[in-house]
Amino acid sequence: QVQLVESGGGSVQPGGSLSLSCSASGFTLDTYAVAWFRQVSGKEREWVACSTGMDTNTDYSPSLKGRFAISRDNSKNTVFLRMSNLQPADTGTYYCAAGGGCYGDYGHLYTHWGQGTQVVVSS
């Protein structure tokens, strides 16, 4: 079966950091572009970042660039999202998605999705 599984979510105080992982099974993730999305309370799903495969081929939501960083470990079939200086507004469910390219907010163009991992930022 083709599957994506997110992990690494949890609770953190404002200003803290978390690193999320997106691990693939049933296919080789390094042949796909991988994006991170999130859904925070009361808002629609939001595109966060995308990697096209090469370390330098990354795109970020303008509002999050500088705090979030996407990276890959091809040997582990895993993509990461490093989040820093987290704030309560970052609280929500974070998803990874794989597809043939980076499509920004056009989530329907990604062919595979994980179930999400929860991030809570509070004092």
Side-chain angles (χ1 to χ4, degrees):
Q1 60 179 333
V2 175
Q3 189 174 34
L4 291 173
V5 178
E6 301 94 339
S7 62
S11 62
V12 64
Q13 292 184 332
S17 299
L18 284 173
S19 185
L20 308 181
S21 299
C22 174
S23 297
S25 60
F27 68 107
T28 302
L29 196 57
D30 63 4
T31 66
Y32 287 78
V34 177
W36 286 94
F37 291 80
R38 71 180 186 182
Q39 188 164 20
V40 301
S41 180
K43 295 184 178 180
E44 298 293 328
R45 186 180 62 200
E46 173 189 15
W47 173 65
V48 173
C50 188
S51 168
T52 58
M54 301 296 294
D55 289 341
T56 57
N57 294 340
T58 58
D59 291 300
Y60 297 90
S61 169
S63 65
L64 301 175
K65 186 176 182 179
R67 294 198 298 120
F68 290 12
I70 190 170
S71 61
R72 292 173 176 261
D73 186 338
N74 291 336
S75 68
K76 296 181 178 180
N77 207 25
T78 300
V79 173
F80 305 96
L81 182 70
R82 177 66 176 175
M83 306 183 294
S84 62
N85 193 24
L86 288 164
Q87 301 299 316
D90 297 315
T91 295
T93 304
Y94 286 71
Y95 303 87
C96 63
C102 288
Y103 308 117
D105 267 333
Y106 298 99
H108 66 284
L109 297 178
Y110 295 91
T111 56
H112 302 96
W113 287 81
Q115 295 299 309
T117 185
Q118 296 183 10
V119 172
V120 178
V121 185
S122 66
S123 299

